[in-house]
Amino acid sequence: EAGVTQFPSHSVIEKGQTVTLRCDPISGHDNLYWYRRVMGKEIKFLLHFVKESKQDESGMPNNRFLAERTGGTYSTLKVQPAELEDSGVYFCASSHGLSPFGTDTQYFGPGTRLTVL
Amino acid sequence: LAKTTQPISMDSYEGQEVNITCSHNNIATNDYITWYQQFPSQGPRFIIQGYKTKVTNEVASLFIPADRKSSTLSLPRVSLSDTAVYYCLVGDYLNNAGNMLTFGGGTRLMVKP
């Protein structure tokens, strides 16, 4: 079974440009999450989708960030316009949801390293 | 959300058993304890999860005392490839599927030859 994949693995852009990150969750996982780690800080939650609906976007830093998950499959996270402080690693995770056998487990992708110059 | 405290770093040698303790004094009744492992340039990877007493899988063991205010991740006979950052997380992952994970600073484990 394929894991969570993210594209691109690295992105270097200039301040003011737009970047779109993509996440493909594990097939069949309704829950999709975005997290990020900015330089020297801890991994922080950004938002959570259940299928195509945003369940919790309390972690989104500002309106320069737009996440979508059309059709409830893959998700995109667009940063427009990018600022220097947006540099960091953006992780995507997915989970199946409540299991009759136990709790929910989130599976992470390798991350996209974003550098804004 | 319950706050977790764990050592910033630990050193060990190949073949030794490593125990990483995490304190979570204000853990709630419905909270589970979960440990993730992260290698450089990779996303966090689920290792083990428990609620009380002891849980063991093919990778590690998790010891949780009766008061649940702390937990210990035990890695048997570590190898160089176990060098990573280990995160202790606490949250209600049963009744709140889709609950965000709250990461702390983690423990950076260095295994030496």
Side-chain angles (χ1 to χ4, degrees), chain A residues 1 4 25-32 69 72 94-96 105 107:
Chain A
E1 179 183 285
V4 177
I26 293 172
S27 178
H29 281 192
D30 287 341
N31 293 282
L32 187 149
R69 192 183 182 194
S94 72
S95 70
H96 187 274
T105 299
Y107 298 89

Side-chain angles (χ1 to χ4, degrees), chain A residues 20-36:
Chain A
T20 300
L21 313 180
R22 172 170 171 146
C23 168
D24 286 78
I26 293 172
S27 178
H29 281 192
D30 287 341
N31 293 282
L32 187 149
Y33 315 79
W34 284 97
Y35 294 83
R36 76 170 180 176

Side-chain angles (χ1 to χ4, degrees), chain A residues 7-14 17-21 87-88 112-117:
Chain A
F7 181 83
S9 57
H10 293 85
S11 181
V12 181
I13 61 173
E14 293 189 352
Q17 290 186 322
T18 297
V19 63
T20 300
L21 313 180
S87 295
T112 293
R113 181 172 295 277
L114 174 65
T115 302
V116 182
L117 303 177

Side-chain angles (χ1 to χ4, degrees), chain A residues 41-55:
Chain A
K41 299 291 182 63
E42 298 165 355
I43 299 172
K44 295 290 188 184
F45 167 83
L46 294 178
L47 88 160
H48 165 219
F49 283 99
V50 176
K51 297 184 180 179
E52 67 275 9
S53 300
K54 292 177 184 175
Q55 188 78 5

